[in-house]
Amino acid sequence: MAEQRSGGGAVEHGGRAAPDHVLVVFPGYHRPWAAWINQRLEAQGVRATLQRWDPPREVALEDSLDDLLLARGQVLLVLNDWFFELGPRPAGEWNDVLRGFVAAHADRFAAVNLTNRPLLPATAVLEPVSLWGVGEEEAEARLFSRLGIEPRRSAARRLPPGALLRYPDTPPEVWGEVPRRNPRFTGRDDLLTVLQERLMDAERGNAACTLLGMSGIGKTQIAAEYAHRFSPDYDVIWWVNSDDRNVQRDRFGELAAELSLPSGNEPGERIRAVREALRRGDPHSRWLVIFDGWDDTDGAQVMLPHGPGHVLITSRNRGWGDYTDVVEVPSFDRAESTAYLMRRAPHITAPQADEVAAEFGDVPLPLVQAASWLGESGMEVPEYLRMVRDGRLSTVDEPSAGDGFPNASLTSWSILINRLRRSQPQAIDVLSLCASFAPGRIPLGIVRAYPQAELPEDLRWMAADLPAWTRALDTLVNYSVLTRESRGPASSVDVGPHQESVHMHRLVHDIVARLTDGEHRDSHRQAVRALLAEADPGNPMDSRQWPRYAELLPHLEPSGALSSRNPRVQTAVLNCLHYCFRSAEFRAGVRLAEKIRESWSTFMDPLDPAMLDLTTQEGNILRSFGRFRSAYELDLALREKLDAATDRNALGSLRSAVNIASDLRFLGQYRESERIQRECLTESQRLLGDTEFLTLVARHNLGVVLRMLGRYQEAYDSDVESLDRSERLLRARHAHSLNSSNAVAQDLRLLGHYREALARQEANVRVHVQVLGTQHLQTLYARSQLALCRRREGGFQQDLGATMASLLEQLEQVHGRGHYVTLSAINNYANYSREHGDLAHARELSTEAEAGYRALLGPAHPVAAGVLANVALVMQASGERADAMAMLEGALAGLTASLGPDHPWVLGCALNATAARNFNGRVSDAAELSRDTLRRARHALGNEHPLTLSCQVALATDLRGLREVEEAGKIEEDALLTLTRTLGAQHPHTLSARQRNRPYWDFEANLG
């Protein structure tokens, strides 16, 4: 026994001796408690030191405790039943040391107890005070009493504001579906400490770490343990399952409601609101967001939050090193492996645990299963290892685990499943059913939520026998095959059986799927398909149902739903595809549509109603995603099939023609699009009448293509009629009516009626926000149009730049930087920046927009040529006049060839070319082009249109350059009078013309 040591110095508190130093000894599991105790002691002037307790098993327990006495003062042990399992060490060894060594130094040791479970009998020597289940004030009082400290708050150190740690029994204000704490979590203390230091020490706004490692290495368990262990450091902890992008977006967006943020139901809107709140740190600055299983970095810029809080990602993708700090997750070290095995299976020896750990390569996932098996079965290690090494999978070929997964574990799973077949066959039924879902989160509760679904005979017990259902799930959870998912920090969350979800690791899913494959697999997959169809909310246009669709979507393919011939299942599949379109999940929609087509094409006629619906939805998604040529080819192929059919499908042909007209419009073939669209409107009126929705759509699309053709008055007349019919037949607040109202305001602006356009669009945006939310695609488009109205009206210039920057950020978050709607916002913001003298920013933005449109549309597309003219304006303003002129002349030639000489876009580009010629000394050429452009503008737009008046002012400037002063004066005076009458004397256009500034035209990129 070691020599007894003195307790060291002490200070007096009210006549009682209290230690001047306390060594707080805790298992890593209870770091929050240790940190809280440390802070409370130091606030009383008592110096404290934290010491994590996990001594090597090879070191005698008495020696490890003796080492603690090297510190001065009191040694405070933070106890629970876990404390005595570290090592692990047999209970007899602890009892002997407590009765001997600790009793001999009883004045140096003290303890607090954090559990209501029984501790070892000899723990009484420590006289532990219980902090279990008591409030913060009572816990503090008991702690101080045990250590002989009489609290004097007036003498305590003052903690800076915000530095007070939250009491460990008080959960964060927002706690979002963090997996339940694993009571058997072992080791990883050093890694968790490193992770915390990396996040805490990171630069504000960039505290993001990725736990990187192979499947089965324990990344998810480490992330969950981090959330629980360091929960007092945060006010918000939000867990986002990220295996599936749709689930990820919906789950991250759900945080908006928890933070009481004003937002609609559209995922992009909620995501943007959440990111902005996290960036500001309002309402909470201490937040932690965990993205579990995020392997695709494509959406990083849109989803990854920044701000005062922390982000933790688990992934197998090393590409996260470009966005975050990376922490490699290695296998267990051997001590962690053997300790875990010996705790789960107390009957095995240290050498046996070492042998098992070596067999499984210290990889956590197979070790968990091996430990579960050994602990539950009580089997001896030699027999178990013999079965693993010599056993063969009798019913299936041995699966390939890959990703560094030990092959030995495959046989161990076979052993477990064979045992369950004998002892708990209903657990095998549940496993087989889970294997018919996708891995990850499985909404298993739908089995009980929809008992009316046709279940095969061997599964009917699940809907009828709740006790058997509970026993089967408990068995699988106990064997670490499944984990239950919960929505709260406590382990006793009350979740009904019909709401229950479980999580199955992808490797476990793969192995179980192979090992349980048999005569019931087809019927089980059929059952899952039926359940998914029953769970279909039936209305993908209702954004309130989108979270449910996001939950169902990953399970369509594994269940065989994509190849089902059941009309009810096919409807559910199409509704999920429609959800992708309506929720702007275009990338997922494209993939899903391709898979559906690949499957349905093997047994379904291309002209079957379901296949026609598929083609319509796929074309809509491709077009919205910016893949215009692919949408056109898809729709064209369908039209050819419809034309070749012996039985004419008039309605199918009409829908096909409407889609083709839209494709052609996006492809820049405006005249052909108009021709087909007029035919569609006539045919729809004949077939369906004026009151059907398809007729409303056809009329609306005609207005769009007329606007793209530059025939603004015709477009306005058509759109006014469309709006009137839509408001009468649908209602004023219907999304289609709002879209028609957008069109009318846009027509008014393009006609030069700026005040009227602004008044209409301000009211229109207010209703959009009320009905669809601020971040819906249609609302963002309406807000973009409002910004353009304000710019043209001229009275909102001061705040307009910030508005455009905010809109651009929101569009990027929802659709990405390269989407055509975002490119339009980039182009418009570039024009504003150039107009207000920020040429560097304007050049950066306009160059990006031009390159983006050229890549998306090709250089010959009218929109690509128009954006090129905007780049030339920036160059001209920067003094690069020769290069700007060459670029403008090229853009003018391209636009004229595709649109004709009288299109407003051509006239505007010609106006800019006249300025370029003048600036480069070609005044005569400039005047010639100015005269011709003015003549055409008067014919196309009328004498009072702002573009016509700009052409008039430009001609006056060129005539003055040729010394034709008298004619120049008359033309200029007439232009100024008309500008004053139509726009007002203080409008920027009028003031600029009066100051004889050369007018210009900037191109508003819009694909309709």
Side-chain angles (χ1 to χ4, degrees):
M1 184 175 294
E3 178 183 352
Q4 185 166 342
R5 296 186 180 88
S6 166
V11 293
E12 293 294 323
H13 285 273
R16 297 178 60 191
D20 64 350
H21 176 265
V22 175
L23 181 69
V24 183
V25 180
F26 64 97
Y29 196 80
H30 280 313
R31 179 177 290 275
W33 278 101
W36 178 82
I37 291 169
N38 174 75
Q39 189 181 71
R40 293 305 183 272
L41 292 175
E42 297 217 338
Q44 294 296 323
V46 178
R47 194 165 65 86
T49 304
L50 298 183
Q51 174 72 49
R52 194 179 75 218
W53 174 260
D54 191 9
R57 189 176 64 250
E58 297 77 18
V59 177
L61 182 56
E62 183 173 317
D63 290 343
S64 295
L65 290 168
D66 192 36
D67 288 342
L68 298 179
L69 296 182
L70 295 172
R72 292 185 305 107
Q74 199 85 13
V75 176
L76 179 69
L77 304 182
V78 181
L79 300 180
N80 68 344
D81 49 334
W82 180 258
F83 189 95
F84 300 106
E85 292 187 20
L86 293 173
R89 298 176 186 276
E93 181 180 357
W94 261 109
N95 276 323
D96 289 344
V97 172
L98 287 169
R99 293 188 184 104
F101 178 83
V102 174
H105 300 83
D107 60 321
R108 297 290 309 281
F109 286 101
V112 293
N113 179 20
L114 303 177
T115 182
N116 65 336
R117 298 187 184 95
L119 298 180
L120 296 176
T123 310
V125 70
L126 295 168
E127 300 180 18
V129 294
S130 176
L131 304 187
W132 186 84
V134 302
E136 183 170 13
E137 289 188 10
E138 177 62 20
E140 190 176 76
R142 293 184 182 187
L143 170 69
F144 292 160
S145 174
R146 177 63 183 88
L147 294 174
I149 299 172
E150 183 176 338
R152 290 185 175 179
R153 300 198 179 275
S154 59
R157 298 183 192 173
R158 297 283 183 182
L159 290 171
L164 193 66
L165 291 175
R166 188 172 55 249
Y167 185 55
D169 265 2
T170 305
E173 292 188 37
V174 177
W175 179 272
E177 289 197 33
V178 179
R180 300 181 186 188
R181 195 170 197 180
N182 181 1
R184 299 186 176 108
F185 184 87
T186 192
R188 305 298 199 182
D189 285 328
D190 291 336
L191 190 149
L192 286 163
T193 300
V194 167
L195 189 58
Q196 187 208 29
E197 290 173 350
R198 297 263 190 105
L199 289 171
M200 291 295 182
D201 295 343
E203 179 182 354
R204 179 186 170 94
N206 292 296
C209 275
T210 297
L211 289 169
L212 184 67
M214 69 179 188
S215 293
I217 204 68
K219 302 183 295 295
T220 298
Q221 288 290 323
I222 294 169
E225 175 61 22
Y226 181 90
H228 287 279
R229 184 171 297 194
F230 297 105
S231 60
D233 295 337
Y234 301 100
D235 298 317
V236 175
I237 298 181
W238 196 252
W239 187 277
V240 181
N241 289 315
S242 302
D243 287 334
D244 179 86
R245 184 173 184 269
N246 298 293
V247 173
Q248 179 196 49
R249 285 172 56 81
D250 277 302
R251 178 63 191 147
F252 185 52
E254 286 174 13
L255 182 53
E258 296 293 332
L259 297 178
S260 302
L261 304 179
S263 66
N265 291 321
E266 198 273 325
E269 176 185 352
R270 297 197 305 266
I271 288 168
R272 192 243 172 207
V274 170
R275 291 187 78 213
E276 179 62 19
L278 297 180
R279 184 188 65 79
R280 295 194 315 266
D282 181 20
H284 300 286
S285 61
R286 302 196 315 166
W287 51 261
L288 170 67
V289 178
I290 301 172
F291 295 94
D292 183 41
W294 193 356
D295 288 332
D296 184 0
T297 62
D298 286 350
Q301 299 291 2
V302 176
M303 290 287 292
L304 199 62
H306 300 276
H310 299 163
V311 177
L312 183 56
I313 297 168
T314 72
S315 182
R316 297 174 297 168
N317 187 349
R318 292 191 173 274
W320 280 109
D322 296 334
Y323 303 93
T324 69
D325 196 1
V326 168
V327 176
E328 295 269 1
V329 180
S331 298
F332 277 152
D333 62 38
R334 184 54 53 83
E336 289 174 327
S337 298
T338 57
Y340 181 79
L341 287 163
M342 293 173 70
R343 274 193 294 272
R344 290 296 306 271
H347 67 283
I348 71 175
T349 65
Q352 288 174 335
D354 187 85
E355 192 174 4
V356 173
E359 187 71 27
F360 293 103
D362 295 299
V363 178
L365 183 61
L367 278 175
V368 166
Q369 195 277 319
S372 300
W373 169 263
L374 289 166
E376 293 288 335
S377 68
M379 182 179 287
E380 294 299 329
V381 167
E383 181 183 358
Y384 175 71
L385 288 178
R386 178 184 57 77
M387 293 175 65
V388 169
R389 292 163 180 166
D390 299 339
R392 291 292 178 263
L393 307 182
S394 57
T395 58
V396 296
D397 292 333
E398 185 166 328
S400 172
D403 202 22
F405 204 70
N407 288 328
S409 69
L410 304 177
T411 306
S412 71
W413 281 100
S414 179
I415 295 168
L416 170 62
I417 288 172
N418 286 333
R419 177 186 175 115
L420 290 176
R421 280 197 179 101
R422 294 190 299 270
S423 63
Q424 180 62 281
Q426 289 174 323
I428 294 296
D429 290 342
V430 174
L431 267 187
S432 180
L433 190 65
C434 287
S436 296
F437 286 91
R441 181 172 183 168
I442 299 174
L444 204 53
I446 62 176
V447 176
R448 299 191 59 80
Y450 301 102
Q452 69 272 26
E454 293 185 8
L455 295 176
E457 186 175 352
D458 64 304
L459 298 185
R460 289 174 189 166
W461 65 268
M462 294 184 181
D465 191 344
L466 179 58
W469 167 266
T470 303
R471 281 195 306 273
L473 284 183
D474 287 345
T475 298
L476 295 172
V477 170
N478 289 339
Y479 276 106
S480 303
V481 182
L482 301 176
T483 56
R484 282 192 172 94
E485 295 205 336
S486 65
R487 293 183 176 269
S491 59
S492 58
V493 176
D494 185 17
V495 178
H498 63 288
Q499 300 171 306
E500 192 155 23
S501 291
V502 297
H503 188 277
M504 178 180 272
H505 193 282
R506 63 168 63 88
L507 278 177
V508 175
H509 181 276
D510 178 60
I511 294 169
V512 167
R514 294 169 184 267
L515 296 178
T516 60
D517 200 4
E519 58 180 318
H520 297 300
R521 176 52 49 82
D522 289 342
S523 64
H524 289 185
R525 295 177 78 217
Q526 183 178 351
V528 171
R529 295 195 291 272
L531 289 166
L532 294 176
E534 289 293 337
D536 172 16
N539 186 6
M541 295 185 68
D542 185 351
S543 59
R544 294 169 299 181
Q545 303 297 340
W546 290 349
R548 167 60 81 170
Y549 280 111
E551 187 175 45
L552 301 180
L553 190 62
H555 305 291
L556 295 179
E557 187 175 12
S559 68
L562 303 187
S563 58
S564 174
R565 302 188 182 210
N566 184 320
R568 178 69 185 87
V569 176
Q570 290 173 356
T571 298
V573 168
L574 288 173
N575 281 342
C576 286
L577 183 64
H578 198 186
Y579 148 75
C580 291
F581 172 57
R582 290 293 172 182
S583 64
E585 295 293 346
F586 302 135
R587 189 183 303 276
V590 167
R591 289 196 298 264
L592 178 59
E594 289 173 348
K595 291 176 181 177
I596 298 171
R597 181 171 299 280
E598 180 182 354
S599 176
W600 286 9
S601 296
T602 62
F603 64 85
M604 191 180 293
D605 188 285
L607 302 184
D608 186 278
M611 188 67 91
L612 291 177
D613 194 359
L614 167 63
T615 301
T616 298
Q617 296 300 333
E618 185 176 5
N620 288 339
I621 292 171
L622 287 169
R623 201 178 304 116
S624 300
F625 196 39
R627 291 172 55 177
F628 311 126
R629 178 63 59 179
S630 297
Y632 176 61
E633 291 171 354
L634 178 71
D635 294 328
L636 200 60
L638 176 60
R639 187 179 69 178
E640 291 172 354
K641 291 184 176 68
L642 287 165
D643 290 346
T646 54
D647 295 329
R648 173 170 168 74
N649 185 336
L651 185 57
S653 297
L654 174 59
R655 292 184 183 277
S656 173
V658 169
N659 292 337
I660 288 174
S662 296
D663 297 330
L664 290 171
R665 187 179 74 241
F666 278 96
L667 291 170
Q669 299 180 38
Y670 303 134
R671 294 187 185 89
E672 180 65 7
S673 176
E674 182 204 4
R675 183 189 68 77
I676 297 175
Q677 195 62 60
R678 286 192 183 278
E679 293 175 354
C680 289
L681 179 56
T682 301
E683 180 69 1
S684 186
Q685 289 171 321
R686 185 187 70 80
L687 276 178
L688 305 171
D690 281 326
T691 61
E692 286 296 317
F693 185 73
L694 186 58
T695 307
L696 293 179
V697 171
R699 189 181 299 279
H700 173 83
N701 288 352
L702 177 60
V704 176
V705 74
L706 288 171
R707 188 161 53 252
M708 302 306 291
L709 283 165
R711 289 148 57 183
Y712 300 144
Q713 187 61 50
E714 289 182 67
Y716 174 74
D717 294 339
S718 178
D719 288 334
V720 167
E721 183 177 0
S722 290
L723 177 59
D724 177 65
R725 289 177 182 272
S726 184
E727 289 183 339
R728 281 191 289 108
L729 296 172
L730 299 174
R731 67 181 186 279
R733 294 168 67 88
H734 191 279
H736 183 79
S737 301
L738 296 178
N739 204 23
S740 292
S741 187
N742 269 339
V744 171
Q746 191 173 356
D747 296 331
L748 287 168
R749 178 172 53 78
L750 293 173
L751 285 167
H753 306 319
Y754 297 147
R755 292 191 188 92
E756 188 179 352
L758 176 61
R760 171 174 285 278
Q761 194 62 7
E762 284 181 331
N764 192 31
V765 166
R766 284 195 294 271
V767 182
H768 266 84
V769 171
Q770 293 168 5
V771 174
L772 299 175
T774 59
Q775 295 301 300
H776 192 281
L777 173 61
Q778 189 171 311
T779 305
L780 288 171
Y781 181 77
R783 292 168 62 197
S784 296
Q785 291 300 310
L786 176 59
L788 292 175
C789 287
R790 286 175 170 169
R791 182 176 175 223
R792 296 306 181 198
E793 195 276 338
F796 293 84
Q797 298 299 306
Q798 186 173 2
D799 300 327
L800 196 53
T803 299
M804 286 183 154
S806 175
L807 271 170
L808 174 55
E809 180 186 359
Q810 293 166 47
L811 281 163
E812 180 183 359
Q813 289 174 359
V814 176
H815 297 292
R817 194 79 177 180
H819 192 275
Y820 67 91
V821 179
T822 312
L823 290 174
S824 177
I826 293 172
N827 175 73
N828 294 335
Y829 191 21
N831 290 338
Y832 174 87
S833 298
R834 186 204 68 249
E835 185 179 55
H836 288 78
D838 191 350
L839 296 182
H841 193 215
R843 182 186 294 268
E844 177 185 345
L845 291 172
S846 61
T847 301
E848 180 183 359
E850 190 276 329
Y853 275 120
R854 178 162 31 85
L856 186 67
L857 306 171
H861 194 287
V863 169
V867 177
L868 185 65
N870 288 340
V871 177
L873 286 180
V874 178
M875 296 172 63
Q876 185 167 270
S878 301
E880 304 167 43
R881 293 182 170 179
D883 290 339
M885 183 176 69
M887 191 174 289
L888 282 167
E889 296 284 5
L892 176 60
L895 285 171
T896 304
S898 59
L899 300 175
D902 295 334
H903 194 289
W905 296 357
V906 176
L907 299 174
C909 192
L911 172 66
N912 294 338
T914 65
R917 292 180 182 184
N918 188 305
F919 293 154
N920 281 276
R922 294 170 52 186
V923 182
S924 178
D925 290 341
E928 181 183 354
L929 181 58
S930 289
R931 199 178 294 278
D932 181 65
T933 304
L934 175 59
R935 178 180 59 81
R936 294 182 183 280
R938 282 172 171 165
H939 171 73
L941 299 170
N943 292 337
E944 296 185 349
H945 192 280
L947 179 54
T948 303
L949 296 173
S950 292
C951 293
Q952 197 169 332
V953 172
L955 176 58
T957 303
D958 292 332
L959 290 173
R960 276 198 305 272
L962 294 174
R963 302 186 185 281
E964 299 178 20
V965 179
E966 184 176 352
E967 182 182 4
K970 290 179 181 179
I971 291 174
E972 182 181 64
E973 182 180 2
D974 179 69
L976 286 171
L977 287 172
T978 308
L979 281 168
T980 301
R981 186 178 72 255
T982 56
L983 298 181
Q986 298 304 311
H987 192 279
H989 286 359
T990 307
L991 295 174
S992 181
R994 196 174 300 281
Q995 295 165 5
R996 291 187 172 175
N997 294 320
R998 182 87 191 198
Y1000 59 85
W1001 167 84
D1002 50 39
F1003 177 69
E1004 297 173 3
N1006 195 321
L1007 294 179

